[in-house]
Amino acid sequence: MSHPRFFSGKFLLTHAFLTLNLAYVVSPAPGRAQSAPAVASTATNPLLAPWSGPYGGVPAFDKVKVEQFKPALEAAMAENLREIDAIAGNPQPATFANTIAALERAGQRLDEVQTVYGIWSGTLSTPEVQAIQRLMAPRLAAFNDQINQNAALFKRIEAVYNSPDKKKLTPEQQRLAWLYYNNFVRAGAKLDATAKTRLSAINQQLAGLFTRFSQNVLADETDSVLVLKTPADLAGLPASLQADAAGAATARKIAGVAGVITNTRSSIEPFLTYSDQRKLREKAWRMFYNRGDNGGAHDNNAIISEILQLRAERAKLLGYATHAHWRLDNTMAKTPEAAMALMEQVWKPAVARAKQEVADMQALAQKEGAAFKIAPWDYRYYAEKVRKQRYDLDQNEVQQYLQLDKMREGMFWVAGELFNFTFASVTNVPVYHPDVKVWEVKDKTTGKHVGLWYFDPYARPGKRSGAWMNAYRNQQRLEGNVTTIVSNNSNFVKGKDGAPTLISWTDASTLFHEFGHALHGLSSSVTYPSLSGTSVVRDYVEFPSQVLENWLPTPQVLQRFAVHYQTGKPIPQALVDRIEKASTFNQGFETTEFLASALVDMKLHLAGAQKIDADKFERETLAQLGMPAEIVMRHRTPQFSHVFASDSYSAGYYSYLWSVVLAADAFSAFTEAGGPYDKAVGQRLVQNIFSVGNTVDPADAYRAFRGRDPKIDALMRERGFPVPTAQPAKQPAAQKPASKKS
């Protein structure tokens, strides 16, 4: 997942919320609009100073003060406006060099200020930071519209795009010219003055609503905890989870209790899996799944309705039937209908499998004397019991071999094998929190510096939940060899008194997933920053991260890095065999909870201008879909930050499934060859997927790697679903972007 982040000067896409990494793309730097004050002194506001120090410069996190954000943003925006004035007002005929490349160079200071601002907003969100967010979000949206609606600037971009000289440009330059032109058009550059004014007002309103939505979710996550009062409340919890709960109580200064379960997925899901106390499981479940849906000041339902209305109006202004049609016009899928076709193809077998899983759990519960019907807060608990009974596989046993630090070392090793990278810990750069650690990444053969990787693994108050990747600086060669700086962020519960942090198999998979995004950024080898790293279309950006998950269960990783936290002995092969045997277990649940969120997201945004009651729409849509009563959406609408904390994944949550089709098919290229570490296939993966950024049409890039279009077969086999006998008419592979681009 990812969180929203604003950029000017370049089309940069960060995978932050991917969280939410809710990546956010904005159009290039500004146009004429207002008089611009001089940039404040860097002596009085270090946020405005260019990044300095080793590795091509690094953020000066140790000098940041919250009160500096507002004046720094204002000054950097003003400077960026002057840069754009110079480009838009250039008396010379528009060329790629004096317009497109000039835009790529503009906005450096604002990019750097907003990078730091985004980190504080997502990981150190105090009331003071939140007040600045509420103030600045609409102003940043208005600023971006000044850029998008600058007629003189667009005229020059359009001239370059339509010039017969364009064919003389390199393929990368031609794609960049198209990207600028397309993004400006999609942002309303061709609208008349009245429509532009209304569009800007909508964007400013939405920016404020997005901020309120995300702050409401954060408040429910931060303020709500489940207090375990007595030792009896710990019944069923493994020792590691009991220690985590005790540590959380200490961190929150809650004395005289057995422990505390915080309101984040990394804490809630293990509790729901192991707690023998059904009433406490229900309390934990309701606390987590009702975030943003509790009435009062932090309720998000009215905000959702307003966001949907504004999005529908904006889509109509821009000439699209719905917000979903606008969002998917610039993706691999191209249309909501294509995305729906894929989801519907997987939905029925997923629900059928989920119903089988529920029947198995109900039978076991009744055998144990339970006199109730399986409820959503029972699902993980009884699924674990069935897993243990059927496969002799206890996830708690597996967790003893999954130490966070060792899994990180395993990721580094995989990166060395597939990407030829080495990682070395460094302490000569400032960090924004003591938990954050930094590694220098080098080429294993040449020793050449590749970039920096920051890791912020632990939950804390003021840090939003989830896991995401961020790019602090994108690789580029426009002005020298600029290397990248990327980060991964998680919300694990920190081990008490230096004890190792044990994580679940699911958490380990998520760790590899987010590291895949980081490797996408680190592998980038392009000239222009707007085309760098993860700056690709939404339903393609998850592909490199999804595919990397496949290397976690390889014997080479497990035998070296899955070692017992007490004995240091590697995970027994018999346990690995049981993990493999159970690999398709519970796929009905996991696929159904995801697809329910993706389908509701799409249907909300296909509903057009109708006034929507979010809770009612969610209930009725799930009933129409035949959603099993024992399962809830992975992200219910009142807390669906992917969709309502920015435009990022709106009408786009389907992209995880779209990407996992690509990932499953891509990994089968390894299994068909010499195995997961086949050098030739790995080299093709890096050259055609990870290193090219957005310089190549994604459908063409995939074909260059695989030699054909992707098929859904590998995904269906991977999840234990029936493989279709014939491919449907609409597949990810069939949706080759128009020759114009994607």
Side-chain angles (χ1 to χ4, degrees), residues 285-545:
W285 183 91
R286 292 190 183 280
M287 178 177 73
F288 186 68
Y289 285 98
N290 285 339
R291 290 168 295 149
D293 195 23
N294 293 305
H298 298 142
D299 192 276
N300 273 331
N301 286 287
I303 292 175
I304 291 170
S305 297
E306 194 171 353
I307 288 173
L308 292 170
Q309 290 279 295
L310 290 168
R311 281 174 170 166
E313 183 184 355
R314 179 177 60 186
K316 188 175 180 180
L317 274 174
L318 292 168
Y320 291 86
T322 68
H323 177 78
H325 288 85
W326 176 60
R327 290 292 295 165
L328 270 75
D329 180 55
N330 192 31
T331 64
M332 288 189 77
K334 304 302 290 180
T335 67
E337 292 76 17
M340 287 293 293
L342 175 63
M343 290 191 284
E344 288 168 353
Q345 185 180 4
V346 181
W347 173 255
K348 288 184 179 179
V351 170
R353 174 61 58 81
K355 289 179 178 178
Q356 293 173 5
E357 293 168 1
V358 170
D360 292 342
M361 291 187 292
Q362 192 69 58
L364 187 148
Q366 290 173 348
K367 187 176 181 180
E368 291 184 346
F372 53 80
K373 187 176 182 293
I374 297 291
W377 45 88
D378 301 316
Y379 202 108
R380 293 180 185 276
Y381 180 75
Y382 283 102
E384 184 62 20
K385 284 177 173 286
V386 172
R387 187 199 317 265
K388 190 171 183 179
Q389 180 188 73
R390 180 169 300 171
Y391 299 101
D392 190 23
L393 182 64
D394 182 348
Q395 288 288 57
N396 182 47
E397 180 186 3
V398 176
Q399 191 168 354
Q400 311 307 304
Y401 294 91
L402 302 179
Q403 301 173 60
L404 175 60
D405 286 346
K406 291 293 184 181
M407 287 296 98
R408 175 184 47 74
E409 291 174 14
M411 297 190 315
F412 289 171
W413 182 83
V414 169
E417 293 298 299
L418 292 179
F419 298 86
N420 207 41
F421 290 159
T422 63
F423 290 74
S425 178
V426 296
T427 58
N428 59 337
V429 299
V431 294
Y432 55 86
H433 190 276
D435 286 342
V436 179
K437 306 301 179 188
V438 186
W439 282 260
E440 182 186 9
V441 186
K442 292 183 178 181
D443 182 276
K444 188 161 57 172
T445 302
T446 66
K448 182 180 179 181
H449 174 77
V450 171
L452 293 177
W453 182 71
Y454 288 61
F455 189 36
D456 183 0
Y458 302 119
R460 58 178 172 271
K463 183 180 182 182
R464 64 180 180 78
S465 63
W468 65 95
M469 170 267 188
N470 218 344
Y472 299 169
R473 180 174 67 213
N474 275 26
Q475 175 273 333
Q476 52 129 322
R477 291 191 293 270
L478 181 59
E479 294 187 282
N481 183 30
V482 177
T483 57
T484 191
I485 303 175
V486 298
S487 74
N488 280 149
N489 310 266
S490 305
N491 271 277
F492 300 113
V493 178
K494 193 174 184 179
K496 188 177 181 182
D497 300 327
T501 298
L502 303 181
I503 63 177
S504 69
W505 184 265
T506 298
D507 283 337
S509 295
T510 301
L511 201 63
F512 270 69
H513 175 103
E514 296 303 333
F515 191 58
H517 286 302
L519 291 172
H520 196 181
L522 288 163
S523 301
S524 179
S525 180
V526 306
T527 300
Y528 299 97
S530 294
L531 302 174
S532 180
T534 57
S535 301
V536 296
V537 294
R538 171 61 58 219
D539 51 10
Y540 194 70
V541 74
E542 296 297 334
F543 164 37
S545 54

Side-chain angles (χ1 to χ4, degrees), residues 9 21 90 207 235 344 362 415 470 555 602 642 659 726:
N21 206 237
N90 189 335
E344 288 168 353
Q362 192 69 58
N470 218 344
M602 189 65 75
H642 289 77
S659 294

Side-chain angles (χ1 to χ4, degrees), residues 26-334:
V26 300
S27 293
R32 304 176 192 182
Q34 60 186 32
S35 59
V39 175
S41 166
T42 59
T44 59
N45 195 332
L47 279 171
L48 294 168
W51 292 358
S52 60
Y55 314 113
V58 295
F61 292 132
D62 54 336
K63 294 183 171 63
V64 175
K65 296 179 180 178
V66 171
E67 61 269 22
Q68 298 167 343
F69 282 126
K70 178 177 176 289
L73 288 166
E74 291 171 338
M77 285 191 291
E79 178 182 82
N80 204 175
L81 286 171
R82 289 193 297 276
E83 293 172 327
I84 297 312
D85 274 343
I87 298 170
N90 189 335
Q92 298 298 316
T95 65
F96 181 89
N98 68 21
T99 301
I100 305 299
L103 284 168
E104 287 290 279
R105 292 186 174 93
Q108 176 70 28
R109 195 188 305 265
L110 183 56
D111 288 346
E112 292 179 350
V113 171
Q114 291 197 109
T115 291
V116 181
Y117 175 59
I119 292 167
W120 256 250
S121 299
T123 70
L124 298 166
S125 187
T126 63
E128 293 76 18
V129 172
Q130 292 177 20
I132 296 170
Q133 286 180 287
R134 290 191 294 271
L135 174 68
M136 294 304 297
R139 293 179 62 180
L140 286 162
F143 169 79
N144 288 322
D145 284 326
Q146 290 178 258
I147 303 166
N148 297 330
Q149 298 180 9
N150 184 319
L153 182 62
F154 177 65
K155 185 177 180 181
R156 295 182 67 83
I157 293 169
E158 188 174 36
V160 175
Y161 179 68
N162 290 327
S163 171
D165 290 337
K166 188 173 70 171
K167 62 179 179 293
K168 299 177 183 177
L169 301 176
T170 68
E172 184 176 348
Q173 290 171 335
Q174 291 184 48
R175 187 157 179 86
L176 184 62
W178 170 83
L179 183 65
Y180 270 87
Y181 175 79
N182 188 58
N183 282 1
F184 264 77
V185 171
R186 286 173 48 78
K190 289 189 172 184
L191 298 179
D192 62 33
T194 300
K196 284 181 177 179
T197 298
R198 178 55 188 154
L199 179 63
S200 185
I202 290 172
N203 288 336
Q204 291 176 61
Q205 286 178 267
L206 284 171
L209 291 168
F210 295 156
T211 300
R212 286 171 54 197
F213 183 97
S214 60
Q215 290 185 357
N216 285 343
V217 175
L218 180 62
D220 279 354
E221 291 173 349
T222 301
D223 299 344
S224 301
V225 296
L226 176 67
V227 177
L228 307 178
K229 298 178 181 179
T230 68
D233 292 344
L234 300 172
L237 302 184
S240 60
L241 190 53
Q242 293 186 32
D244 290 345
T250 300
R252 289 185 174 253
K253 298 181 172 56
I254 302 176
V257 299
V260 161
I261 301 299
T262 57
N263 202 16
T264 65
R265 192 176 297 277
S266 294
S267 293
I268 293 294
E269 289 187 353
F271 184 79
L272 293 176
T273 301
Y274 296 112
S275 175
D276 291 334
Q277 300 287 1
R278 188 169 190 250
K279 289 183 178 180
L280 290 180
R281 291 203 308 271
E282 181 178 357
K283 283 185 178 181
W285 183 91
R286 292 190 183 280
M287 178 177 73
F288 186 68
Y289 285 98
N290 285 339
R291 290 168 295 149
D293 195 23
N294 293 305
H298 298 142
D299 192 276
N300 273 331
N301 286 287
I303 292 175
I304 291 170
S305 297
E306 194 171 353
I307 288 173
L308 292 170
Q309 290 279 295
L310 290 168
R311 281 174 170 166
E313 183 184 355
R314 179 177 60 186
K316 188 175 180 180
L317 274 174
L318 292 168
Y320 291 86
T322 68
H323 177 78
H325 288 85
W326 176 60
R327 290 292 295 165
L328 270 75
D329 180 55
N330 192 31
T331 64
M332 288 189 77
K334 304 302 290 180

